[in-house]
Amino acid sequence: MDEIEQQGATGGAGHDAGQRAWNGDDARLARFSGVLGEVRDPLTWGLDLEDQSLTGQADSDDPTSERFVRAYRSFTDEALEVETLRTRVPDDDVEDVVRAACTGALAAPLHADIAAPVEPAPSDADEVDRPAEGDASDFADSFQDYRSAMRALVAEVDEAPLTTGTFAVDGDDADCVRVVARETAAVYVATADRALVVTGPVDLVDRVEVVTRPVDALLSGHGRRGSGTKGTPPPADG
């Protein structure tokens, strides 16, 4: 299985997602042993857990290939993600990782816009083989606009200054590398033997409280969100 997902955590119920049984592959998640990053008490920041997934190739030599992603959405429709990488990234590659994360966050709306729309069912049988006039040219124009917009985004993110500092995880300051473009921030944080990448609007990234929780908190549905106690397993139910 290349991707395991738990979805449906919206509509105010996202903060309870960790309390429900994990619907994916427990064995693969267990091999991603260690801790996972998350926003503590998302509703405090107006966030709802929209999705969480383990993606990428487990046997890849690229430390950024396999990652656990928690995606949040604010009540104003802003997106924030906390990604947990399998291992730390070599120092020489950190800049590429943080700039790619910022570009990806900025490009997400463009990806949605360029997606080809589903064609409506024809109202008449004889229209089945009749192509809609202008569809091909409209899509080509849209794709060219998309490519131009992507090139502009990449260029802007590449020119944005890279800064170093600290980012609080589990209440402790950890070394981080950060880039900001168009009011969107991407932060790479080195914690213990693992790394986190946090992306989203600058004001949210600067305010949210990021904590780590053991992988075990997601296995067999025993997780309880909101503890935020570093290295402490969730309390037993009951």
Side-chain angles (χ1 to χ4, degrees):
M1 178 179 291
D2 289 335
E3 180 172 356
I4 56 179
E5 299 181 346
Q6 179 171 319
Q7 299 181 349
T10 57
H15 64 293
D16 294 325
Q19 297 182 26
R20 296 193 294 272
W22 182 256
N23 294 326
D25 184 343
D26 280 5
R28 184 184 171 197
L29 188 61
R31 289 195 297 272
F32 198 80
S33 61
V35 295
L36 304 173
E38 67 178 9
V39 174
R40 182 179 182 180
D41 295 329
L43 291 181
T44 301
W45 317 104
L47 296 171
D48 198 24
L49 179 59
E50 186 176 52
D51 181 43
Q52 51 186 356
S53 60
L54 178 58
T55 66
Q57 299 297 321
D59 57 354
S60 172
D61 292 332
D62 180 0
T64 68
S65 174
E66 189 178 36
R67 58 181 69 193
F68 189 89
V69 184
R70 278 191 167 102
Y72 301 86
R73 179 80 51 182
S74 77
F75 65 90
T76 57
D77 205 34
E78 294 178 310
L80 183 139
E81 290 189 351
V82 179
E83 299 178 274
T84 304
L85 305 185
R86 189 180 67 235
T87 62
R88 287 189 179 187
V89 174
D91 291 344
D92 291 343
D93 296 332
V94 169
E95 178 175 354
D96 291 340
V97 169
V98 74
R99 290 192 187 279
C102 188
T103 301
L106 289 170
L110 296 178
H111 294 161
D113 289 343
I114 195 61
V118 176
E119 294 184 5
S123 57
D124 215 327
D126 63 356
E127 294 182 4
V128 171
D129 296 326
R130 184 188 305 167
E133 294 181 6
D135 280 0
S137 60
D138 289 347
F139 181 79
D141 290 343
S142 296
F143 185 70
Q144 290 302 319
D145 291 343
Y146 163 81
R147 293 185 62 187
S148 297
M150 279 298 301
R151 284 194 291 266
L153 280 180
V154 171
E156 188 168 342
V157 173
D158 284 347
E159 292 173 2
L162 202 71
T163 60
T164 58
T166 59
F167 186 90
V169 177
D170 295 319
D172 296 328
D173 288 338
D175 293 336
C176 78
V177 178
R178 170 187 176 111
V179 67
V180 176
R182 299 189 185 184
E183 297 302 314
T184 293
V187 182
Y188 171 90
V189 192
T191 63
D193 60 345
R194 189 149 278 182
L196 306 179
V197 178
V198 183
T199 56
V202 174
D203 60 337
L204 271 176
V205 171
D206 287 344
R207 289 186 293 118
V208 297
E209 183 179 358
V210 174
V211 296
T212 58
R213 302 271 287 151
V215 166
D216 291 347
L218 273 183
L219 299 175
S220 302
H222 294 311
R224 285 189 177 180
R225 307 174 71 82
S227 168
T229 303
K230 180 169 56 178
T232 303
D237 290 338

